[in-house]
Amino acid sequence: TYGYFVQAICSVGDTSAWAGPYLFTTLCQPTVGDSLSDPIVIGSFPYVDSNSTASCYSDTRDNPSADVFYQLIVPQCTDTLTVSLCGSAYDTYIRILDASGTQIAFNDDFCAAQSEVELTGLIAGDTLYVLVEGFSANNGDYSLNINTVINCPPPANLVITEIMYNPPEAGTDSLEFVEIYNNGTLASDLTNYTLSGITYT
C-alpha cells in the first residue's frame, strides 16, 4: 500500500496546500498456493512453513477467509500423518482433501483457537491436499507443521529373485552395496531387518 500527496503549482510562489494522503494498493502477482491447481508442493518430512493469509491469497472455497493449498504424497510405511496449525496467530481452520479435492478430514479448535488433524490408514503414494484457512473470515500469520510416523513391517514370504551389487572400490575386498529384489521389485527398506529362512531362485 502506498500513500501520496498532491499540490497545485500555478506559478512561482503560487501554490496550493498539500492535499492527501491518498492511498492505493498494488495487486499481488499470481501466488503459489492460492489454488488447488497451483499448490505449494511438500517434498519431505517433517515439514514446517510460516506464512500469512492476510494478503495475496484469495477465498476460493468453504469459509469466507483466504485459502492456502499444499500438496503432499503419502510416504511409504506411513503409520500416522499429523498436520498442525498450533501456534498460529489467528483462529484457524484446517481441511485435508483427497486427489479430487474432496474433503476427507477437518478440524477447527484442537489447540485453543488453532487446528490439528491426525490421519491414519493412509495409502502410500496417494496425493493429499492441505487447505489452510481461517475460521469464519479470520486471516493472519500461521505456522504449519506436518510430521509423519513411519512404521515399515517386515516383508512377508520374501523370495529373493535377484541380488545385484557393485564391485568393491580399489583397495577393498568388500561389496560397495547390495540391492535385494523381492519378486522383481526393489525392496529398498530391507536394510532395517535381519533376514532369515530365505529361499532363492
Side-chain angles (χ1 to χ4, degrees), residues 45-67:
F45 302 94
Y47 179 82
V48 178
D49 187 30
S50 296
N51 205 338
S52 176
T53 61
S55 63
C56 295
Y57 290 101
S58 55
D59 173 31
T60 58
R61 57 176 291 168
D62 302 310
N63 293 345
S65 59
D67 304 326

Side-chain angles (χ1 to χ4, degrees), residues 63-79:
N63 293 345
S65 59
D67 304 326
V68 185
F69 292 87
Y70 294 81
Q71 181 192 68
L72 64 90
I73 306 298
V74 177
Q76 293 288 332
C77 305
T78 298
D79 188 55

